[in-house]
Amino acid sequence: MFKVLFLCTENACRSQMAEGLVNHYLAGQVRAFSAGVAPSRVNHRAVAVMAELGVDISHHRSKAVDELAGEQFDLVITVCDRANQQCPIFPGSVKKLHLGFADPARATGSDEQIMAAFRQVRDEMRGKLIPLLKQEAEGR
């Protein structure tokens, strides 16, 4: 099975949503993992907007990239600029790709405006990641 790792700074929003999306929409083809270079905790708004799609990430936890040191990945995708700059070296012939997405946790305004920012990032990720990873898995 094709294995992908999503890296973000805190492994709180974007990488968690990416992991959930891929494991939901590409189950059986792609197995996704996520980690952070400075992990914190999963953002409750990320959990909420994923639940709107029927994707449950409430059981996810924020992980340091070191926790996945024993895993072999086919592709590592950084989803924020800081993680891209601090991305560790992975052994073997791991392909690395950077797809930056806005940080919805930095959104300001009313709760509805902040939730709209999370939905926008979620939908943008779904639109970019699912076709890309489907193609990568099929092209193996």
Side-chain angles (χ1 to χ4, degrees):
M1 182 169 305
F2 190 86
K3 289 171 59 176
V4 62
L5 171 63
F6 292 102
L7 282 179
C8 200
T9 303
E10 294 182 6
N11 190 219
C13 298
R14 292 165 284 183
S15 52
Q16 293 286 347
M17 290 192 294
E19 177 185 357
L21 287 166
V22 170
N23 285 335
H24 179 78
Y25 289 105
L26 297 176
Q29 291 179 281
V30 179
R31 180 142 184 241
F33 299 80
S34 68
V37 294
S40 61
R41 64 179 177 261
V42 179
N43 187 297
H44 70 281
R45 288 185 171 107
V47 173
V49 299
M50 294 300 290
E52 293 172 355
L53 297 179
V55 180
D56 181 10
I57 64 168
S58 64
H59 61 283
H60 285 199
R61 67 178 181 81
S62 184
K63 299 169 289 305
V65 69
D66 297 346
E67 289 186 50
L68 301 173
E71 293 285 343
Q72 295 293 320
F73 297 101
D74 298 296
L75 178 62
V76 174
I77 299 177
T78 53
V79 293
C80 76
D81 293 336
R82 183 172 167 204
N84 187 42
Q85 294 166 353
Q86 298 178 348
C87 184
I89 303 298
F90 289 88
S93 59
V94 176
K95 181 178 176 181
K96 183 182 166 217
L97 182 62
H98 176 64
L99 293 173
F101 296 93
D103 185 356
R106 293 185 179 268
T108 58
S110 68
D111 188 56
E112 187 51 44
Q113 290 170 317
I114 295 169
M115 290 299 286
F118 274 83
R119 288 182 190 104
Q120 181 177 346
V121 171
R122 174 202 67 196
D123 294 344
E124 184 181 345
M125 292 179 119
R126 181 174 51 171
K128 288 183 180 179
L129 295 174
I130 302 308
L132 170 74
L133 291 171
K134 186 173 184 167
Q135 182 179 11
E136 288 281 338
E138 290 172 354
R140 256 179 88 195

